[in-house]
Structure formats: structure tokens, C-alpha cells
Amino acid sequence: MVIAELTVVPLGTESTSLSSYVAGCHQVLKNQDIVKYRLTPMGTILEGELDDIFEITKKMHEVPFENDAFRVITNLKIDDRRDKEAAMDKKINSVEKKLK
């Protein structure tokens, strides 16, 4: 199980607004049930098996091209911890416990 942060940025679009592209990418996530995900203001957090993360990333990378973008930059940051099970909520909870 890995946790990843994904950002897909279309370039060469007619507008500076990107929310329609983000919505299109999230439609890919909504139509699957293999990878858990959480939208953030600056990207999307994914949780799942590494191969599934790569497959979803490829599909999401294609969305802006399918919607007339001329260039796409995709950043994928992967946290692959193998000494114990990783999960989005566990990482957040670990930090929050230390704040008390």
C-alpha cells in the first residue's frame, strides 16, 4: 500500500481557471473503487497499490488532452513505506496526536 500526491496541470488552455480539468480528472477517480482518494486545494492524495496508482495517474494525465489542452505537466510524489502499513488517515492522526 502506498500513499501518493498527484497534481495534473494543463497548459495551453483558453482560461486560467483549471477547475473543469480537475473535475474531469476526479471523474476518473469517481468511476473506480480500487484507489482511495482525497481532493486537496493543491492536488489529490491517492492510497492504494503502486500499480493501481500508476494506472489511475495515466488515465488522469490524459483527461486534459481529451479536453483540448495542448500540454500537460503531471507530478506524482510516492510514499512507499514497507516496514508497516501506511494510510492517509494514520499519517494525519499521528501528527494530530502530537499536537495535544
Side-chain angles (χ1 to χ4, degrees):
M1 184 80 66
V2 302
I3 300 170
E5 181 180 45
L6 176 65
T7 307
V8 179
V9 182
L11 302 174
T13 63
E14 293 181 7
S15 171
T16 56
S17 176
L18 301 177
S19 59
S20 64
Y21 293 97
V22 174
C25 287
H26 270 260
Q27 191 63 48
V28 170
L29 292 168
K30 189 176 177 181
N31 292 338
Q32 59 82 43
D33 61 357
I34 297 171
V35 172
K36 289 176 65 174
Y37 62 93
R38 184 174 298 155
L39 176 65
T40 75
M42 299 297 291
T44 301
I45 306 301
L46 306 172
E47 179 183 295
E49 298 299 324
L50 186 58
D51 288 339
D52 296 330
I53 299 286
F54 285 141
E55 183 179 328
I56 290 292
T57 297
K58 182 177 178 181
K59 288 178 182 178
M60 292 173 71
H61 176 81
E62 290 299 321
V63 168
F65 288 119
E66 294 165 359
N67 290 282
D68 301 324
F70 296 109
R71 185 176 183 181
V72 177
I73 296 175
T74 296
N75 294 307
L76 179 63
K77 185 174 14 175
I78 299 170
D79 181 354
D80 187 356
R81 185 169 182 171
R82 300 197 177 171
D83 62 329
K84 64 181 187 177
E85 184 180 333
M88 288 185 272
D89 293 333
K90 285 183 179 182
K91 289 180 74 130
I92 299 294
N93 291 339
S94 176
V95 172
E96 288 176 346
K97 285 180 185 177
K98 291 173 177 70
L99 292 173
K100 296 179 181 181

